[in-house]
Amino acid sequence: IGNDINTIGPDGLDGALRRITDRAVDLLQVDVCLVLLRSEEMGCWIVEAASDDWHDRLYKTVMLWEEFPVSVQAFESKQPTFGDYLRSDIRPEVVRRNLIGESMLAVPLLSQGVPFGVLVLLQERRRGEQDWNVRLAKGFADAAAIAIANARLYEAAHKKEKGLESRLRRLEYLAEMLAHDLKAP
């Protein structure tokens, strides 16, 4: 399953992350799965992918860092973190998130041990810690982290390749000019 869902195909990273979130909803029996990436420049979360109909509503939405306190805790501790009774938290900065679910599991996305986002699983009804399949959730988080890392590596290699091609063209032009100057009296 892992190879099928996190392989970056013609639909790119967005397609791989959509397959991961959709499959996570099915196998973990949750209502919503989100991939949130931390934007250091803005100090917020960016919804990189969401499951099912939520993707169209939330894709590339910017959310306050404080809007997901359970995710912040998972991000900072680098450990899966649970949240229950989310709707009882009436702080203004978390009200929008509480419309999605009552229970939450946030699993950090890590690249070489450094967190860069979280996989968030939300359940409409209350769900105790023992009811979550943390091991499988970690597997989905790892798949998402690998897909994102692969896409970033591909993008960096492609950018480097373009830069090398540009340098090669400049060197060829310079070689032509030098050859022309050497032939001239």
Side-chain angles (χ1 to χ4, degrees), residues 149-165:
N150 286 344
R152 288 178 177 173
L153 285 172
Y154 176 78
E155 187 178 298
H158 190 66
K159 189 182 283 187
K160 194 171 197 171
E161 180 183 341
K162 291 288 185 191
L164 289 174
E165 287 175 3

Side-chain angles (χ1 to χ4, degrees), residues 4-84:
D4 292 341
I5 62 174
N6 72 0
T7 301
I8 297 175
D11 53 359
L13 177 62
D14 293 338
L17 292 177
R18 270 306 294 278
R19 286 190 298 278
I20 290 168
T21 56
D22 288 344
R23 187 62 69 106
V25 165
D26 291 340
L27 293 179
L28 291 165
Q29 298 175 349
V30 296
D31 296 316
V32 181
C33 179
L34 305 171
V35 174
L36 304 176
L37 298 184
R38 168 78 169 149
S39 171
E40 294 296 333
E41 302 86 44
M42 296 188 299
C44 63
W45 297 110
I46 296 177
V47 179
E48 195 63 28
S51 58
D52 302 324
D53 297 336
W54 288 98
H55 186 76
D56 296 332
R57 290 188 245 173
L58 296 175
Y59 180 65
K60 294 295 183 185
T61 300
V62 175
M63 295 188 169
L64 298 172
W65 180 248
E66 300 82 16
E67 205 167 342
F68 286 87
V70 175
S71 296
V72 171
Q73 186 179 355
F75 184 89
E76 291 174 347
S77 70
K78 301 178 191 175
Q79 297 294 321
T81 306
F82 304 92
D84 280 322

Side-chain angles (χ1 to χ4, degrees), residues 112-185:
Q112 298 178 348
V114 178
F116 63 90
V118 291
L119 180 86
V120 175
L121 301 164
L122 293 156
Q123 185 67 42
E124 183 64 34
R125 61 178 170 70
R126 189 185 169 298
R127 192 175 199 171
E129 283 185 35
Q130 67 280 2
D131 297 331
W132 293 97
N133 186 339
V134 177
R135 190 166 153 226
L136 186 55
K138 283 181 181 179
F140 281 109
D142 290 344
I146 289 168
I148 292 167
N150 286 344
R152 288 178 177 173
L153 285 172
Y154 176 78
E155 187 178 298
H158 190 66
K159 189 182 283 187
K160 194 171 197 171
E161 180 183 341
K162 291 288 185 191
L164 289 174
E165 287 175 3
S166 174
R167 282 185 184 164
L168 180 61
R169 281 194 292 277
R170 284 185 281 176
L171 286 173
E172 287 172 345
Y173 177 76
L174 181 61
E176 274 182 34
M177 295 301 288
L178 287 172
H180 184 270
D181 289 348
L182 289 174
K183 290 180 184 177

Side-chain angles (χ1 to χ4, degrees), residues 102-114:
E102 181 66 25
S103 293
M104 173 192 282
L105 170 61
V107 183
L109 301 176
L110 304 171
S111 176
Q112 298 178 348
V114 178

